[in-house]
Amino acid sequence: QPKTPTRDDGEFRDYSHSEISRDVATIKNSVVMHLTATFLRTPANIDSGQAYLASAFSVRDRLLQRWNLTNEYHDKIGAKRVYYMSLEFLIGRTFDNALLALGLREEYSKVLGDVGFCLEDIIDEERDAALGNGGLGRLAACYVDSMACSNYPGWGYGLRYKYGMFQQQILNGYQVEAPDCWLDSPNPWEFPRPDVTYPVKFYGHLVRDPQSEHRFKWESNVVYDAMAFDVPVPGYGTTNVGNIRLWSCKTNTLFDLNKFNSGDYQGATGGQVAAQILTDVLYPNDNTSEGKELRLRQEYLFCSATMQDILARFRKTNRPLSDLPDMAAIQLNDTHPTLAVPELLRILIDDEGLSWDEAWEITTRTFAFTNHTILPEAMEKWPVPMLDKILPRHMGIIYDINLFFLQTVEKQFPGDRELLRKISIIEESNPQQVRMAFLACVGSHKVNGVAAIHSDIIKQTIFKDFVRIQGEAKFINKTNGVSPRRWMNECNPDMSALLTEVVGDRSWVNDLTKLNQLEDRISDAGFRERWWAAKQKNKERLAEYILTTTGIKVSAHALFDVQVKRIHEYKRQLMNIFSVIYRYYQLKQMSPEQREQELHRVVIFAGKAASGYWVAKQVIKLINSVAEVINADDEIGDVLKVVFIPDYSVTAAEYIIPASDISQHISTAGTEASGTSNMKFVLNGGIILGTVDGANIEIGEEVGEEQIFFFGCLAHEVEDFRHYLRFNQPKPDAALQTAFDMIQRNTFGDAQLFQPLIDAIMRGGDVYLLSVDFPSYIQAHKAVEEAYRNHDEWVTKSILSVARMSKFSSDRSIQEYAEEVWNIEPQPVLNCGL
Ligand code: 4GP
């Protein structure tokens, strides 16, 4: 085995030059260099878009330098790496994040000021990298951030979609989707790597190896090239820079010159078009699996290129393949990357000549799997005939995995045919289907849920039999977390300045436990006042944002009540808008004098509906119709305003979250695996109104039950209620009935439009239990209002919450994964102090 060098044996170069220059003149030179040499401009002749690009490119130079050093260092010491495989990375913007990580924000502000620009405006020039739908994709982005900041050698792997999450426009109250052409202008935050390209095969046929019954040669002439683009992930407080490697389908090799020469121009580029489409679009579904063939091909392109790349890196160590699990841990972010399991087996058996047993041992020691949802519509299943056609070798391997697995189960539980049917990776439907969650589970050494309640639920439901067969220890919990860099330090500068003052330095940004010192300031009147002033300033900033994006004027002195997330029936935006309608009704019953005494409230919604999800889209229409009527009602004025902010995104969230007083996380108990925006809101001094679901529960445990407004039925009660409602008509309380009546009286336009939403409750079994939870929901709203009126009590809640939220830093999650799942250690290149 080659010797692993250490820092002291002289084989290392001096890494101290990863300290970058802070000299303003040097920075200015680098910006001007990019302006002139990269963009052919002179400083006297630029607009803010060009100023952004030149500045971003100069920041990228500095990141690149550190990126190289980090990877060189990790290679040299032979560090074990973790690979986080995810079909989604919802990154958002990078410029500000990078400036803060490098500690160069002030310097760039000065340089830009000198040429007549304001840094904040320049930051606004950047487009979001929206390569994800919602929670699952944003979690992946927070996790690679934490890996970099905590010095873990880790990379993300994903796809470089040409069109990210669609842009949402609201026309006549309806969602309209427009393509997100985010790569139209140069993207400073990626490095094309034509040197890192792998062939990926589809279709074809198999030839059995005469030497071995398990080995095949897979022959096909449908071969696409996947090319890497590297996206640096700046580490904060360290020189380590992480990486997300995204694959894009390369098309130039597919140009058919013969067809072109014979005049068949369309035919000449046909192959290119077919290939390009593979990585063109992100499927816009959240918590839903769309069983389209193109999606399956996307998944395989991703898995094949990633496994080839990981193995190429491993081969450079010259270690035997049996050492792979000592050098690489691979986390499957939901089932979308599960084809990596049969792909690794295929390479090990067919290309490397290993036996099945050897290959299986390596594979299961390398992979671990995270489940993010138990919604039935999200469970990935692929029809066997489709898989067999596109990936004949993988289908064969999946059959073998299933056969060997069922054989061991048969030995353990002889004669239990029902058990075999239930746990088989192949579902005996017509056509047969491959259950990807089972495949991921069998192919991994650890399976985790994303919050305590959810990890328990999966052990009692989808993986119940697997727990019995494979043992409890394999099924663990890793409660989600969010990055304090983006979700506090970057998005909430005023509150962050206060935190830095309390802690004495910025070390809290990488260690949220330090915030417990806030508790000492709880009775410091001056501090409380400044705490509140910071929140107020964020509310004013959001009011401004609302005015520019919707034209609606709201008062920053009202209570800001926020529900922002994907629009989904289980998340119950519908229950929220019904409560708004009821509130409107109540206000209309009051005299003007009474009304003025009421707490003023702005109810803020934002979120996208999957383009094919009709019910969710009608909910958006209802929210907008209600908003239109209430906002135009002069009798109501500022007492109640309703806003739907269009085109929710990471950047929009950075405006919205720091400004909330109360935020709603009101899924039917047992349906929201974790939620992560709940964490972000509380980390910014907001209070939660929520159900006893997902991470709300653990947030309540940490911050104390006085700091959170819980309501609604409990997860273990849901099944009984659903059962009852399948056979009995729901009984809406007077408040909910009032909301129905107002809609049906055409108060918000044509009632016919919204009748299906009411019917889903009254005739469709009320699957999400709105009629059950509505009374306690209205009560909880009252409790919120009362608490908010007691200003002192509210400020105390806000400060205490932030003080006690350290558990929800993604640094804590990543440390747990590193220690309990991946077995990797931090490998700092150079800590640079905070
Ligand atoms: C989401 C879950 O719905 C959410 O509760 C969780 O916080 C998040 O994953 C991260 O773990 N699931 C999805 C999905 O986004 O597409 O299944």
Side-chain angles (χ1 to χ4, degrees), residues 589-635:
Q589 305 306 303
M590 294 176 193
S591 68
E593 296 71 35
Q594 273 175 320
R595 233 179 348 247
E596 259 322 295
Q597 296 304 307
E598 291 296 300
L599 186 68
H600 292 200
R601 183 190 284 255
V602 183
V603 184
I604 298 162
F605 293 87
K608 294 177 183 177
S611 36
Y613 191 172
W614 187 83
V615 177
K617 289 176 138 180
Q618 284 314 97
V619 171
I620 293 178
K621 170 67 179 166
L622 177 61
I623 293 169
N624 282 309
S625 300
V626 171
E628 205 182 331
V629 171
I630 296 180
N631 296 341
D633 190 331
D634 288 339
E635 279 185 6

Side-chain angles (χ1 to χ4, degrees), residues 62-314:
R62 288 164 171 71
L63 277 182
L64 242 195
Q65 192 186 345
R66 288 183 170 189
W67 187 101
N68 268 326
L69 291 170
T70 306
N71 289 303
E72 181 190 80
Y73 177 64
H74 289 158
D75 284 345
K76 271 198 178 161
I77 60 169
K80 178 174 180 180
R81 286 188 170 94
V82 60
Y83 300 110
Y84 197 83
M85 286 184 73
S86 179
L87 270 223
E88 301 189 13
F89 284 93
L90 192 39
I91 298 168
R93 292 173 172 168
T94 296
F95 185 42
D96 199 16
N97 188 254
L99 286 179
L100 288 163
L102 297 172
L104 291 176
R105 207 174 188 279
E106 271 173 37
E107 289 75 0
Y108 271 83
S109 180
K110 175 134 197 4
V111 167
L112 285 162
D114 285 354
V115 281
F117 292 102
C118 156
L119 177 62
E120 275 68 28
D121 295 341
I122 296 304
I123 287 171
D124 263 343
E125 288 291 329
E126 183 176 356
R127 289 186 74 149
D128 276 32
L131 308 182
N133 276 288
L136 174 154
R138 183 54 230 177
L139 185 78
C142 282
Y143 279 1
V144 286
D145 173 89
S146 278
M147 288 174 199
C149 298
S150 310
N151 301 310
Y152 286 111
W155 280 21
Y157 273 101
L159 285 186
R160 177 182 179 268
Y161 303 106
K162 187 168 157 200
Y163 302 101
M165 187 60 204
F166 66 80
Q167 292 191 335
Q168 179 195 54
Q169 292 156 7
I170 301 296
L171 291 181
N172 188 26
Y174 287 104
Q175 167 178 302
V176 176
E177 300 98 31
D180 169 35
C181 314
W182 72 294
L183 291 171
D184 271 1
S185 49
N187 173 12
W189 309 114
E190 64 177 13
F191 304 94
R193 303 293 306 266
D195 52 322
V196 184
T197 299
Y198 297 98
V200 179
K201 248 185 272 182
F202 294 90
Y203 307 100
H205 63 276
L206 304 177
V207 182
R208 192 185 284 273
D209 182 336
Q211 314 290 316
S212 153
E213 62 161 326
H214 284 304
R215 203 167 302 154
F216 286 85
K217 202 164 161 10
W218 174 20
E219 292 178 341
S220 167
N221 46 23
V222 184
V223 184
Y224 297 145
D225 280 335
M227 174 179 142
F229 285 75
D230 285 338
V231 177
V233 181
Y236 183 98
T238 168
T239 59
N240 283 42
V241 169
N243 189 29
I244 306 177
R245 179 158 284 183
L246 301 177
W247 302 107
S248 175
C249 220
K250 214 165 128 178
T251 56
N252 43 357
T253 48
L254 298 169
F255 181 71
D256 191 328
L257 193 59
N258 289 332
K259 283 190 180 161
F260 181 84
N261 287 340
S262 66
D264 177 5
Y265 303 127
Q266 234 175 348
T269 52
Q272 290 183 310
V273 173
Q276 192 187 330
I277 276 178
L278 265 188
T279 49
D280 261 3
V281 228
L282 164 79
Y283 274 90
N285 301 316
D286 178 88
N287 268 289
T288 315
S289 140
E290 192 167 323
K292 294 270 164 68
E293 191 170 316
L294 179 62
R295 169 71 174 191
L296 181 64
R297 290 199 277 141
Q298 281 191 337
E299 290 186 356
Y300 180 63
L301 183 101
F302 166 50
C303 291
S304 178
T306 303
M307 294 320 299
Q308 292 184 63
D309 195 43
I310 291 173
L311 285 169
R313 192 166 308 110
F314 174 75

Side-chain angles (χ1 to χ4, degrees), residues 15 215 379 541:
Y15 282 93
R215 203 167 302 154
M379 292 298 141
R541 188 178 66 157

